[in-house]
Amino acid sequence: MHARLTEAWEPDPQLLGGRIALVAGGAQGIGQATTRVLAAAGATVVVLDNDRESAEPLAREVERSGGSAVPLIADLREEAACKAAIDRTVSDFGHLDILANVAGGMSKHAQWRPLREWTTDTWDAIVHLNLRYVFWLCRAAVPAMEARGGGAIVNVASIAGAFGCPNQAPYGAAKAGLINLTKTLALECGPSGIRVNAVSPGVTLTQAALGTMHEQTRAELGRLTPLQRLGRPDDIARAVLFFASPLSDFVTGQTLLVDGGVSVTFPYEGLGR
Ligand SMILES: NC(=O)c1ccc[n+]([C@@H]2O[C@H](COP(=O)([O-])OP(=O)(O)OC[C@H]3O[C@@H](n4cnc5c(N)ncnc54)[C@H](O)[C@@H]3O)[C@@H](O)[C@H]2O)c1
């Protein structure tokens, strides 16, 4: 049997050498794993997050382990802050090569509910957190990447963007929108050498996801997953690394589902036997 990739896997530290990466929502969960993986691959990582208490120690940890990361505290709900974050990165480091849009999810205040029970405010909050800031960051980043002669944008969507999504309508709609935005930007930016791709995680073990899930549900979801476990933040970060790096130089407009095989499960299992 082949040895499995483990959490101990480390990328080639030259893979992203000299690259400047901005990770939006880079302080916790999948974003934190993305910050660590991109830094381990040699990038200087700007950790854009509104959670100072997580972003600053993470940047220090990366520096201690020989990598390069700086926190940039900003609120992605603010248009001016998004533009300023890109401008600041370019003025501090000279250029921007990689933009990973990871922040998102169901707002902490939003319960799962049928469509008729969503308010305009909660709908907007979720769509903004998963889609609108990506537009703002990309709009500011693309000219900087064009000036550099190319770049890579990686959006973290969700399998929820690929299927109907009962009780999570704004989340599913926003992630489907993000997948479409990925394709559109790929077409618009391809001639400038900017690649745009998305990673769609299945259920992934972050505090945000675990907080809404009973232990029993978690076990059941793992059992229903072809690879027999839920995702780890690192699983998703490695896919982001692939799209951010020259390993995917001829790949753009794609969405990679990193879900342990859930999305290819046959829905009529047992039928016709
Ligand atoms: N965890 C899962 O099961 C799962 C499944 C599918 C898709 N995803 C997607 O993966 C991404 C990350 O999910 P996660 O579980 O790691 O989430 P998380 O809540 O653990 O991390 C999100 C990060 O974004 C930051 N953030 C949130 N709002 C912000 C704001 N307004 N301004 C700046 N920073 C902000 C948070 O501080 C945090 O560091 C999201 O886009 C989510 O939709 C997650």
Side-chain angles (χ1 to χ4, degrees):
M1 190 163 156
H2 293 290
R4 284 175 42 174
L5 275 179
T6 67
E7 298 264 336
W9 174 83
E10 288 290 335
D12 173 355
Q14 308 296 322
L15 189 59
L16 299 179
R19 305 283 213 290
I20 307 300
L22 186 147
V23 181
Q28 295 179 68
I30 292 168
Q32 181 184 79
T34 301
T35 293
R36 287 189 178 126
V37 165
L38 296 185
T44 294
V45 182
V46 176
V47 184
L48 192 173
D49 210 286
N50 64 352
D51 181 357
R52 184 181 296 276
E53 260 118 68
S54 302
E56 290 182 346
L58 176 63
R60 284 197 295 272
E61 175 212 295
V62 168
E63 293 278 329
R64 272 198 309 274
S65 58
S68 179
V70 290
L72 198 168
I73 308 307
D75 189 342
L76 293 163
R77 290 170 295 190
E78 294 171 12
E79 183 173 6
C82 289
K83 169 91 169 68
I86 300 291
D87 290 350
R88 169 94 186 268
T89 302
V90 173
S91 75
D92 285 0
F93 298 101
H95 56 269
L96 174 67
D97 303 289
I98 296 160
L99 170 63
N101 295 308
V102 187
M106 291 274 280
S107 155
K108 284 179 194 131
H109 309 294
Q111 305 295 316
W112 292 28
R113 64 191 82 190
L115 183 77
R116 64 179 178 274
E117 291 177 17
W118 286 96
T119 64
T120 304
D121 285 349
T122 47
W123 175 282
D124 282 350
I126 290 170
V127 173
H128 292 177
L129 178 61
N130 289 280
L131 184 57
R132 192 171 63 160
Y133 85 85
V134 178
F135 155 56
W136 287 336
L137 287 181
C138 290
R139 190 176 57 183
V142 164
M145 289 181 174
E146 281 173 349
R148 171 82 165 151
I153 297 174
V154 189
N155 297 320
V156 174
S158 169
I159 56 168
F163 304 100
C165 229
N167 299 320
Q168 298 179 77
Y171 181 65
K175 292 301 195 185
L178 184 56
I179 290 166
N180 190 274
L181 179 67
T182 300
K183 295 176 188 172
T184 298
L185 258 187
L187 295 176
E188 289 186 6
C189 298
S192 308
I194 302 168
R195 298 182 300 101
V196 190
N197 291 287
V199 178
S200 278
V203 178
T204 305
L205 297 169
T206 65
Q207 287 301 326
L210 287 175
T212 61
M213 207 185 292
H214 294 294
E215 181 61 37
Q216 203 181 338
T217 312
R218 189 175 146 178
E220 181 70 358
L221 287 173
R223 195 186 59 74
L224 291 170
T225 303
L227 288 179
Q228 297 291 291
R229 67 170 175 85
L230 296 181
R232 301 181 192 114
D234 219 40
D235 294 317
I236 314 305
R238 290 171 192 176
V240 174
L241 173 64
F242 170 69
F243 283 134
S245 79
L247 293 171
S248 60
D249 255 356
F250 198 52
V251 183
T252 196
Q254 302 304 307
T255 297
L256 178 63
L257 281 73
V258 182
D259 64 354
V262 167
S263 53
V264 296
T265 307
F266 186 60
Y268 302 124
E269 186 64 27
L271 193 75
R273 278 203 200 124

